[in-house]
């Protein structure tokens, strides 16, 4: 368990060629105050502001604007 209560929004694609999705799941599991935003079937590393997925950009922008995490983990389609 990570000894960190800072809220964090983790963003990862299931087919990220640089950061394996299993790693994102492991971090999420050990960081209770985080949420995982998953992009299904995207073979992409850079997601926010780069990939062009409105679902990702809107959710990350909301987190940055308010500092509030979503109530649960979320999934965006490609």
């Amino acid at each position: 368990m990570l000894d960190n209560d800072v809220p964090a929004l983790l963003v990862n694609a299931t087919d990220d060629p640089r950061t394996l999705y299993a790693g994102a799941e492991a971090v999420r599991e050990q960081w209770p105050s985080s949420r995982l935003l998953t992009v299904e079937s995207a073979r992409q590393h850079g997601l926010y502001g780069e990939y062009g997925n409105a679902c990702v950009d809107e959710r990350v922008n909301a987190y940055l604007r308010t500092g509030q995490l979503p109530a649960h983990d979320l999934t965006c389609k490609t």
Side-chain angles (χ1 to χ4, degrees):
M1 180 83 65
L2 293 173
D3 184 21
N4 189 336
D5 62 355
V6 174
L9 182 61
L10 311 170
V11 183
N12 212 119
T14 57
D15 297 330
D16 185 331
R18 294 185 193 159
T19 308
L20 298 179
Y21 186 69
E25 290 179 309
V27 170
R28 169 62 182 106
E29 192 173 302
Q30 293 194 23
W31 195 346
S33 60
S34 70
R35 297 292 179 271
L36 178 58
L37 175 58
T38 299
V39 183
E40 287 186 339
S41 303
R43 186 169 171 72
Q44 178 73 22
H45 180 71
L47 294 166
Y48 172 66
E50 185 176 325
Y51 184 57
N53 184 305
C55 174
V56 170
D57 292 347
E58 289 169 9
R59 280 153 182 81
V60 173
N61 284 337
Y63 170 67
L64 293 174
R65 186 175 52 253
T66 67
Q68 298 296 312
L69 289 171
H72 50 81
D73 294 340
L74 301 171
T75 300
C76 293
K77 306 289 183 192
T78 52

